[in-house]
Amino acid sequence: MSKSKKTSTSRSKIGKKELRSTVSHYLSLHPGDYFTPKQLFKALKFTTHPLKMLCIDVLNEMIDSQDIVVNEDGEFSYNGRAQVCEGVFTRTSGGRNFVDLPDGGGVSVYDDDTLHALPGDKVKVSLFAKKRGSDKIHGQVIEILKRNEKPFIGSLQVGKQFAFLVNPDGSLPHDILIPIDKLKGGHTGEKALVKVTSWPENARNPIGEVVDILGESGNNDTEMHAILAEFGLPYRYPESVELAANKIEPGITPEEIAKREDFRNVLTFTIDPRDAKDFDDALSIRKVKEGVWEVGVHIADVSHYVLEGSIIDKEAQKRATSVYLVDRTIPMLPERLCNFICSLRPDEEKLSYSVVFEMNEDADVLNHRIVHTVIKSDRRFYYEEVQHLLEQCNEASPEDYQYPTPEQPLAEGAKPAETWKNELIVLNRLAHKLREERMKEGSIDFDREEPRFEIDEKGKPLSVYFKRAKDANKLVEEFMLLANRTVAESVGKVKKGGAKAKTFPYRVHDMPDPTKLDNLEHFVSKFGYMIRTQGTKAEVAKSLNKLLKDVKNQPIQQLVETVSLRAMMKARYSTVNIGHYGLAFDYYTHFTSPIRRYPDLMVHRLLTRYEEGGKSASQQKYEGLCEHSSDMEQLAANAERASIKYKQVEFMADKIGEEFDATISGVTDFGVYAEIDENHCEGLIAVRFLGDEPFDFDERNYCLTGRVTHHKFSLGDKIRIKVAKANLYRKQLDFDFVRKISSSAPITTGQKFYLEIPKKKKGKKK
């Protein structure tokens, strides 16, 4: 195998870390088999030259680390000598045990071979010989390297001499036994957090102690706290941090104002959701001269009040983000800061960090400045107020009129939105121009509906509705994107041949997974559409945008959007800038929400440091903070989805036995997921309820096919379902299949392909 050091840093459609995981996983599924590079490229569909060269680099590294071995013919294989691996023990709700390996592979473990491992434990596993014709790898846990300290959640059953934590989600094979003196006052029926303290070798049950009592099962606060605890997120604020926040002086001294650019007499307002309390961004606008406007993006100056290394800062750093559940916000900062001192509330003087633009009417930025400011917001707008005004003035996008926004009741003492009609219209027109240019550059337009719930005072969901991003939302979004991009460029963009860019946290987004992109292309081709999977970033992105535009308002819109999203990589924070693929920005960061995101607070501090001539910060320190922030962001997103799922199950709990029209939204080897059309509540139809026959799972085509009848259940099929079960503990709906309504449309003769393939230019070959 040839060395290829020169290509190790070349860009491809997949990062080196992800590629190594893909290769390791594939080879681990074929232990004992030998491959040539060409065979591996074919198996993994590595078709581009840069990707093949990067794969060669990865293989060389895996030889050096002895993860693979090479025979005399130069063929390589998963290292058979590595019969002992380390990984993290997991258990599914269905009772299956696995050890997740660092390379992305997994080892299946029978109950008798777990050595009493608990979910989250770091373990050492010995691999069994692979069965002929099977891709599954089985093994036995031989050592528990480190116990998971995260407590388990369940309901208490208290007896006279001992108690149990009942854990009905299946993550434990047996209930946890709790000595009475370790019960912390808990009672039967209460939900609790329990830490496992021991599990004797010959004991049937693990032994634990109560860490905290969450409250009565079924109570809304209890269940929301349980969701937070499930993901290791805090549900209470430390008293010491609250006390520190209460000591902060909210006033602004004349000396501080003198250091800043004064915007108190410039028209400024915030536009936020109706239930928002923390206003971390505001917009100002004034006319400079005919055809030129000054637009200020003003962001709460949290760094002025939260000093680095303080008790408040340490807690904010640990949390890294605010968490948004269905019915509440768990803030990153104490309430006194996020809702009062830092919040850009109307008619109050506030400190801010601002990006101020001079723009012509085509939204070209003529110049800009990044400055510390003091502002005074003239009005707090709801999105709906601004949207209704734009629609009444015929300034909204055509699609916004499909769901007209009703006139909003005026808050007591507030001036009507029409008072600032001209300024709002100018901002909206500029935002349209910014968005149009962004799309032209290849920014991807994922504009999906978000489920929301109308809930009563006890947290019970009364109805489901959907939040749609309209022009008022997009107006704010475009100026925030512009500010974030400008700030990132101000630090990261250095002159050619100049000094190296200083350490800075970027918001990065890599190109799509090439295998998933190929699967998407194969999938949409069945409906008569095509996308480009090869070419430049912009070409692939524009092709994907065209697909999303073409399926807009079509029956398969949500389906195609779902599969497209699955092909995307996750955005994350990093000090190594690779650009933001989804936005088509070479430089991007998060600057505009320091009240609810710690990376924004880091950005504010570093901007101030560099503005004052400070030297570059430690990349190692900030890369660690970026990784932590990315991890916490993912946990917060998981908790938000879990809270939505819980409310969906709760909403459907009194509809057992009722039938609904639904769409197949997911296909697995154990059944299909279906989403009810009218409310988007999703449930599982187990494969045994699809028909009295074995089924074959086709992962590439997202379908299950009966071996006897050849009945096919495909992603996007319209079906009729009956609600069978609503399990609040598992946050799971179970459906019964009633009948097929229609199949997802295959290609038929004469169907149009919606991709324009650019013609090759004539000329001499280079």
Side-chain angles (χ1 to χ4, degrees):
M1 205 174 300
S2 62
K3 293 182 179 180
S4 50
K5 294 285 183 184
K6 292 181 180 179
T7 63
S8 62
T9 57
S10 63
R11 296 302 301 147
S12 67
K13 290 186 179 181
I14 185 170
K16 201 170 189 178
K17 183 177 178 182
E18 292 83 6
L19 189 141
R20 179 164 181 157
S21 177
T22 300
V23 171
S24 295
H25 180 55
Y26 181 79
L27 294 179
S28 70
L29 294 177
H30 301 83
D33 295 341
Y34 279 82
F35 298 85
T36 64
K38 189 174 181 180
Q39 288 169 335
L40 186 67
F41 297 157
K42 185 176 180 181
L44 295 178
K45 298 177 182 174
F46 292 170
T47 55
T48 65
H49 182 71
L51 192 56
K52 291 176 181 178
M53 291 298 97
L54 191 61
C55 185
I56 293 292
D57 279 350
V58 165
L59 291 171
N60 279 321
E61 288 178 0
M62 292 175 73
I63 292 170
D64 293 338
S65 61
Q66 297 185 335
D67 289 327
I68 60 176
V69 291
V70 183
N71 64 16
E72 295 175 354
D73 297 323
E75 298 171 325
F76 51 85
S77 175
Y78 197 69
N79 194 348
R81 59 136 191 97
Q83 290 301 309
V84 175
C85 308
E86 293 181 6
V88 177
F89 185 83
T90 61
R91 183 177 172 88
T92 69
S93 59
R96 293 187 290 180
N97 307 308
F98 293 94
V99 175
D100 294 329
L101 303 178
D103 62 12
V107 180
S108 181
V109 181
Y110 297 116
D111 281 346
D112 292 340
D113 296 324
T114 64
L115 200 66
H116 287 173
L118 296 166
D121 287 354
K122 187 177 181 182
V123 300
K124 192 175 284 186
V125 60
S126 175
L127 305 185
F128 296 155
K130 184 181 173 186
K131 292 182 180 179
R132 186 181 296 274
S134 172
D135 282 339
K136 289 187 177 180
I137 301 174
H138 285 81
Q140 176 183 22
V141 176
I142 58 173
E143 185 181 350
I144 295 172
L145 301 172
K146 185 180 179 183
R147 281 289 190 191
N148 178 23
E149 296 183 359
K150 183 180 167 184
F152 293 90
I153 305 167
S155 297
L156 294 174
Q157 285 187 358
V158 182
K160 289 184 179 180
Q161 298 179 334
F162 49 81
F164 286 101
L165 182 83
V166 181
N167 189 252
D169 67 355
S171 61
L172 285 174
H174 304 290
D175 299 333
I176 302 174
L177 188 148
I178 307 167
I180 292 297
D181 63 341
K182 301 294 184 182
L183 199 51
K184 215 170 182 177
H187 298 91
T188 296
E190 287 186 318
K191 214 159 210 177
L193 299 183
V194 171
K195 179 181 177 181
V196 172
T197 54
S198 66
W199 195 346
E201 185 177 345
N202 297 320
R204 182 175 184 271
N205 300 86
I207 299 170
E209 63 182 25
V210 172
V211 176
D212 197 9
I213 304 294
L214 297 176
E216 197 68 31
S217 292
N219 174 277
N220 186 62
D221 284 344
T222 299
E223 300 302 338
M224 293 300 107
H225 288 170
I227 287 172
L228 292 167
E230 177 186 346
F231 294 98
L233 297 169
Y235 49 89
R236 294 194 185 98
Y237 226 95
E239 189 176 341
S240 57
V241 182
E242 295 277 13
L243 288 172
N246 290 337
K247 293 177 182 177
I248 294 177
E249 175 56 50
I252 304 173
T253 64
E255 292 78 15
E256 185 60 41
I257 291 175
K259 298 176 188 174
R260 296 170 176 259
E261 192 167 334
D262 195 341
F263 273 78
R264 288 175 294 177
N265 294 319
V266 180
L267 174 61
T268 304
F269 39 73
T270 59
I271 309 175
D272 290 282
R274 183 176 289 276
D275 58 353
K277 294 178 182 177
D278 54 341
F279 313 133
D280 51 13
D281 59 78
L283 293 172
S284 69
I285 180 169
R286 61 181 165 188
K287 193 171 187 177
V288 177
K289 60 184 179 182
E290 196 60 40
V292 178
W293 296 86
E294 180 191 80
V295 178
V297 179
H298 307 285
I299 309 303
D301 191 358
V302 176
S303 62
H304 177 82
Y305 298 100
V306 180
L307 303 181
E308 190 169 5
S310 66
I311 188 173
I312 299 173
D313 180 54
K314 288 176 181 176
E315 182 66 23
Q317 185 184 113
K318 186 170 83 173
R319 293 174 178 240
T321 180
S322 294
V323 183
Y324 296 88
L325 302 187
V326 164
D327 66 335
R328 68 193 64 202
T329 299
I330 296 84
M332 180 182 78
L333 296 171
E335 192 172 318
R336 176 172 162 80
L337 279 167
C338 64
N339 292 353
F340 174 51
I341 294 177
C342 296
S343 184
L344 307 182
R345 307 196 308 176
D347 302 316
E348 295 180 10
E349 293 182 352
K350 296 290 181 179
L351 301 181
S352 57
Y353 209 165
S354 308
V355 188
V356 184
F357 301 96
E358 275 194 17
M359 311 175 75
N360 62 23
E361 293 183 348
D362 288 326
D364 299 319
V365 176
L366 307 178
N367 57 64
H368 74 271
R369 60 191 186 277
I370 302 171
V371 287
H372 288 89
T373 56
V374 57
I375 68 168
K376 187 176 181 182
S377 173
D378 295 278
R379 174 71 146 79
R380 182 241 166 138
F381 285 113
Y382 308 138
Y383 281 125
E384 293 84 358
E385 289 180 295
V386 176
Q387 185 62 37
H388 178 72
L389 172 70
L390 295 175
E391 290 174 15
Q392 292 300 107
C393 297
N394 293 316
E395 290 286 339
S397 298
E399 58 268 24
D400 286 2
Y401 294 97
Q402 189 176 352
Y403 302 98
T405 305
E407 186 172 0
Q408 303 298 303
L410 198 62
E412 186 177 347
K415 293 181 181 179
E418 286 79 4
T419 308
W420 299 280
K421 178 179 72 173
N422 293 335
E423 289 83 0
L424 288 168
I425 287 174
V426 168
L427 285 172
N428 188 54
R429 288 177 178 175
L430 291 173
H432 271 267
K433 297 277 188 181
L434 289 170
R435 184 176 176 81
E436 184 181 320
E437 183 62 26
R438 185 162 60 84
M439 292 301 151
K440 194 185 298 180
E441 292 298 315
S443 186
I444 300 173
D445 184 17
F446 281 113
D447 193 9
R448 307 197 76 198
E449 296 178 344
E450 298 178 22
R452 292 289 185 268
F453 296 88
E454 180 189 350
I455 57 178
D456 65 17
E457 65 280 357
K458 293 183 179 179
K460 182 177 174 59
L462 304 175
S463 63
V464 183
Y465 63 96
F466 300 96
K467 176 187 171 186
R468 298 176 176 88
K470 301 175 89 171
D471 270 10
N473 306 78
K474 295 173 184 177
L475 183 162
V476 176
E477 178 188 34
E478 288 304 325
F479 285 105
M480 298 306 122
L481 290 174
L482 180 62
N484 287 332
R485 179 185 189 176
T486 302
V487 165
E489 289 178 344
S490 73
V491 176
K493 206 171 185 178
V494 294
K495 293 179 180 179
K496 289 183 178 179
K500 181 184 175 184
K502 293 180 178 179
T503 297
F504 204 60
Y506 298 94
R507 181 68 168 176
V508 299
H509 185 219
D510 212 343
M511 291 187 71
D513 182 317
T515 303
K516 291 182 178 179
L517 204 57
D518 284 341
N519 287 344
L520 172 63
E521 191 276 333
H522 175 76
F523 176 70
V524 299
S525 68
K526 297 192 301 180
F527 301 96
Y529 300 95
M530 288 182 69
I531 62 166
R532 294 189 68 159
T533 59
Q534 307 264 338
T536 65
K537 283 184 180 182
E539 287 170 342
V540 174
K542 287 176 183 178
S543 172
L544 185 54
N545 260 339
K546 185 161 188 353
L547 170 69
L548 296 172
K549 182 179 180 181
D550 288 340
V551 300
K552 201 90 168 176
N553 299 319
Q554 298 297 317
I556 61 167
Q557 176 182 347
Q558 190 172 358
L559 178 66
V560 171
E561 287 177 346
T562 298
V563 180
S564 300
L565 273 172
R566 289 174 185 169
M568 295 292 111
M569 304 294 280
K570 284 186 172 66
R572 55 189 172 85
Y573 298 104
S574 177
T575 57
V576 180
N577 181 41
I578 61 170
H580 196 293
Y581 176 77
L583 292 172
F585 290 166
D586 291 330
Y587 300 87
Y588 189 65
T589 191
H590 273 170
F591 165 82
T592 54
S593 294
I595 286 177
R596 62 185 180 89
R597 293 186 306 225
Y598 196 76
D600 302 57
L601 185 52
M602 293 194 289
V603 164
H604 280 221
R605 286 172 177 159
L606 288 178
L607 275 177
T608 303
R609 172 178 176 153
Y610 297 153
E611 179 189 339
E612 294 171 351
K615 64 179 183 179
S616 184
S618 163
Q619 183 174 2
Q620 184 178 1
K621 170 188 172 182
Y622 277 91
E623 185 62 28
L625 290 171
C626 284
E627 288 181 9
H628 172 69
S629 297
S630 298
D631 291 342
M632 295 305 293
E633 177 189 37
Q634 187 59 54
L635 286 176
N638 292 342
E640 180 183 2
R641 281 194 291 270
S643 76
I644 291 171
K645 191 67 180 176
Y646 183 90
K647 288 302 173 189
Q648 287 178 330
V649 175
E650 190 178 10
F651 178 68
M652 296 299 294
D654 61 355
K655 297 169 179 62
I656 305 298
E658 294 185 27
E659 292 187 8
F660 297 90
D661 288 341
T663 303
I664 293 180
S665 54
V667 183
T668 70
D669 58 348
F670 53 84
V672 300
Y673 286 94
E675 195 174 82
I676 295 174
D677 293 341
E678 67 181 60
N679 56 34
H680 293 197
C681 292
E682 187 180 61
L684 173 68
I685 307 173
V687 70
R688 66 182 181 276
F689 295 123
L690 294 175
D692 189 18
E693 60 178 319
F695 281 82
D696 290 322
F697 173 48
D698 184 344
E699 187 174 11
R700 180 170 170 77
N701 290 297
Y702 303 96
C703 67
L704 285 170
T705 305
R707 292 182 185 174
V708 178
T709 64
H710 303 295
H711 288 164
K712 185 177 287 188
F713 294 90
S714 301
L715 201 64
D717 284 357
K718 296 291 183 182
I719 59 176
R720 185 78 172 170
I721 61 94
K722 180 190 287 185
V723 182
K725 292 179 184 176
N727 188 324
L728 278 169
Y729 203 98
R730 292 189 179 183
K731 306 177 201 67
Q732 181 176 309
L733 288 170
D734 288 321
F735 296 156
D736 285 337
F737 173 66
V738 178
R739 66 177 182 274
K740 180 85 77 76
I741 297 174
S742 66
S743 296
S744 53
I747 295 179
T748 56
T749 304
Q751 247 182 315
K752 183 180 178 183
F753 283 82
Y754 291 90
L755 174 68
E756 295 177 7
I757 306 294
K759 295 179 180 178
K760 291 183 179 179
K761 293 181 180 180
K762 294 181 179 179
K764 295 180 180 179
K765 291 183 179 179
K766 292 185 179 180

